[in-house]
Amino acid sequence: MSAPTLPLDMTAPAAKQQGGEAIRFENVTLAFDDKVVLDDISFRLPHGETKALFGVAGSGKSTILKLALGLMKPDSGHIHVLGEDVTQMSEEALFGLRRQIGMVFQESALFDSRTVRENVAFRLMEEGSVSEDEIDRRVREALSFVELERTVDMFPSELSGGMRRRVAIARAIVTQPEILLYDSPTGGLDPVTSTTIVELIVKQRDVYKTSSLMVTHRLQDAFIMATHYFDRNANKMLPLPKGVHCEVPMAFLILRDGKVIFDGDLDDLAKTRDEYIREYIA
Ligand SMILES: Nc1ncnc2c1ncn2[C@@H]1O[C@H](COP(=O)(O)OP(=O)(O)O)[C@@H](O)[C@H]1O
Ligand SMILES: [Mg+2]
């Protein structure tokens, strides 16, 4: 990646709330018709941590993100986001809570008829109270973070898949959210481009330390994240020395048949005897 222009006035939002949890699922169960998708799921995402959520297609990963955003209600159980129980909140209160969450949707989900600038500015414009100069400054800052300042006047159709994904990340971080949710950020990308997106997520993690839940269908991506850090001087992702953990705690959550079959760090993962998991980490 090129020119290091880290907007340093955007300090880690996680620092605002030390301790406690960004997200907590407590015995969450959800079925569609007679198909139980989530069966008594519990997990926590502590403030400032990053958690990779892995499972095969259809295992309920996107559903977990929708539940955390309060876009769906579980059949039973509780979901706390930034200390509030989203299963009990009004639409209006949820709207306020969602403003503190940045979401990177599956397949980027950019507005095709809007420029990169308008896509990234979208939520700031929605706020209604941010001045045009301030919007422009923050959009440029977010685009500079993902190293795409030059695309500000382009349309999504003029960008490659990897660039669109970077714009989606800029759009999610522009509001300086307390929590970031990524839905399969490398889905549909070739391996080389995937790695550049993982590098960007690692950069976001290590620079801002935003509490993040990253859905992935590629356990490989989460491995790279757990074994690398973003070096600000070199302005790139580098491998951590052997035995050294990244500064931001990085955990893995693995779903299978509606259950959490693993919740722990890389060391725990390496030690697991679970045959199904071993197949994926072999
Ligand atoms: N709104 C819905 N109505 C009915 N079934 C749904 C709905 N949303 C998701 N599902 C089903 O729930 C399961 C989990 O979906 P999803 O969370 O999208 O999986 P993943 O993101 O892990 O691929 C799938 O079998 C899917 O078909
Ligand atoms: Mg999904």
Side-chain angles (χ1 to χ4, degrees), residues 30-33 35-38 53-66 72 106 183-184 215-217 255:
L30 176 67
F32 292 113
D33 302 318
K35 189 176 181 291
V36 178
V37 175
L38 302 176
L53 171 54
F54 170 77
V56 297
S59 57
K61 305 183 295 299
S62 297
T63 300
I64 284 181
L65 299 186
K66 283 178 199 151
M72 273 182 193
Q106 219 162 333
D183 198 348
S184 302
V215 160
T216 183
H217 60 292
L255 286 180

Side-chain angles (χ1 to χ4, degrees), residues 23-241:
I23 299 177
R24 185 168 86 239
F25 274 54
E26 262 173 28
N27 308 107
V28 171
T29 293
L30 176 67
F32 292 113
D33 302 318
D34 55 356
K35 189 176 181 291
V36 178
V37 175
L38 302 176
D39 185 3
D40 200 25
I41 297 277
S42 298
F43 72 89
R44 41 196 295 279
L45 173 72
H47 275 296
E49 293 200 13
T50 291
K51 199 159 217 162
L53 171 54
F54 170 77
V56 297
S59 57
K61 305 183 295 299
S62 297
T63 300
I64 284 181
L65 299 186
K66 283 178 199 151
L67 286 167
L69 286 165
L71 296 170
M72 273 182 193
K73 302 269 187 224
D75 297 328
S76 60
H78 291 278
I79 300 164
H80 296 267
V81 177
L82 298 173
E84 301 192 72
D85 187 345
V86 299
T87 64
Q88 310 290 317
M89 285 165 78
S90 66
E91 258 319 302
E92 205 184 350
L94 280 169
F95 193 77
L97 184 70
R98 282 182 205 129
R99 290 191 2 213
Q100 300 176 68
I101 304 176
M103 176 81 201
V104 179
F105 295 94
Q106 219 162 333
E107 307 300 332
S108 306
L110 300 176
F111 301 112
D112 290 332
S113 61
R114 295 173 195 257
T115 62
V116 166
R117 181 202 311 276
E118 290 163 343
N119 267 282
V120 176
F122 189 73
R123 289 182 68 192
L124 293 174
M125 313 239 289
E126 259 187 345
E127 305 252 322
S129 56
V130 190
S131 72
E132 246 173 74
D133 282 356
E134 177 68 6
I135 290 178
D136 193 60
R137 189 184 70 75
R138 283 166 69 174
V139 166
R140 284 185 184 281
E141 208 168 64
L143 282 173
S144 139
F145 188 81
V146 304
E147 298 182 353
L148 278 184
E149 268 174 305
R150 66 189 183 282
T151 67
V152 66
D153 293 317
M154 292 167 81
F155 285 92
S157 61
E158 298 175 272
L159 307 177
S160 67
M163 288 160 94
R164 282 200 291 275
R165 221 53 68 88
R166 302 170 90 84
V167 172
I169 292 173
R171 183 174 63 177
I173 64 173
V174 78
T175 53
Q176 304 173 23
E178 290 282 341
I179 296 178
L180 273 173
L181 303 176
Y182 294 95
D183 198 348
S184 302
T186 65
L189 300 177
D190 63 76
V192 173
T193 309
S194 288
T195 304
T196 66
I197 298 302
V198 171
E199 178 170 29
L200 184 55
I201 295 169
V202 165
K203 177 179 171 184
Q204 206 292 326
R205 178 194 69 189
D206 293 353
V207 173
Y208 297 122
K209 302 179 173 63
T210 309
S211 312
S212 303
L213 191 58
M214 186 194 72
V215 160
T216 183
H217 60 292
R218 276 170 38 109
L219 202 50
Q220 180 69 17
D221 290 350
F223 277 138
I224 296 176
M225 290 177 66
T227 54
H228 289 70
Y229 74 105
F230 190 78
D231 187 302
R232 290 207 211 186
N233 295 322
N235 194 39
K236 64 178 177 188
M237 180 172 76
L238 294 173
L240 285 156

